[in-house]
């Protein structure tokens, strides 16, 4: 599977991430070697319809890259939107360490790449430039979403 357009990086092995386009261009300009190193710290999570990837209020400090499938976002007791691959998920809890503000329940079969905070710490110790770039891009994604929400109302 060609992953070059997903995060604006060269083609990676088929199991890495799906082909698609994201407005965010996470880690744009990074090489295939950078992505191979980074993805070495992620673990694959496969899911089926009805499975929970994240539960609302769960204290899991992890970042997810939704590679395939659709997830329903549950907040305050009801589902309010659907997220489709490709997407970056869990940025807030990953960055601030607070419990998840929303749950993610699978609508379809799919796959996500999960970066635990412990794995990020290991990445930071071994590849500080790559870890810094990832954090800066996550901050940019969160800021972009905040601005979008502000501009909508």
């Amino acid at each position: 599977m060609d992953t070059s357009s997903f995060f604006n990086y060269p083609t990676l092995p088929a199991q890495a991430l799906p082909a698609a386009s994201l407005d965010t261009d996470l880690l744009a300009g990074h090489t295939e070697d950078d992505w191979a190193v980074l993805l070495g710290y992620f673990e694959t999570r496969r899911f089926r319809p009805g499975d929970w990837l994240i539960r609302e209020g769960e204290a899991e400090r992890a970042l997810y890259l939704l590679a395939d499938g659709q997830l329903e976002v549950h907040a305050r007791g009801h589902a309010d939107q659907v997220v489709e691959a490709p997407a970056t998920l869990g940025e807030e809890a990953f960055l601030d360490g607070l419990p998840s503000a929303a749950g993610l329940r699978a609508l379809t079969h799919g796959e996500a790449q999960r970066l635990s905070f412990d794995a990020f710490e290991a990445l930071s110790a071994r590849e500080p430039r790559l870890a810094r770039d990832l954090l800066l891009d996550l901050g940019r994604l969160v800021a972009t979403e905040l601005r979008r929400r502000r501009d909508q109302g």
Side-chain angles (χ1 to χ4, degrees), residues 58 67 112 116:
E58 185 174 49
S116 70

Side-chain angles (χ1 to χ4, degrees), residues 61-63 94-95 114-122:
R61 195 168 190 181
L63 175 69
F94 183 77
L95 291 170
R114 178 184 180 271
L115 178 66
S116 70
F117 198 76
D118 288 342
F120 174 76
E121 293 275 307

Side-chain angles (χ1 to χ4, degrees), residues 77-110:
H78 68 317
D80 59 1
Q81 77 181 85
V82 173
V83 177
E84 295 185 14
T88 305
L89 307 164
E91 304 95 333
E92 291 176 24
F94 183 77
L95 291 170
D96 68 16
L98 296 175
S100 180
L104 297 169
R105 188 170 186 191
L107 294 173
T108 65
H109 285 84

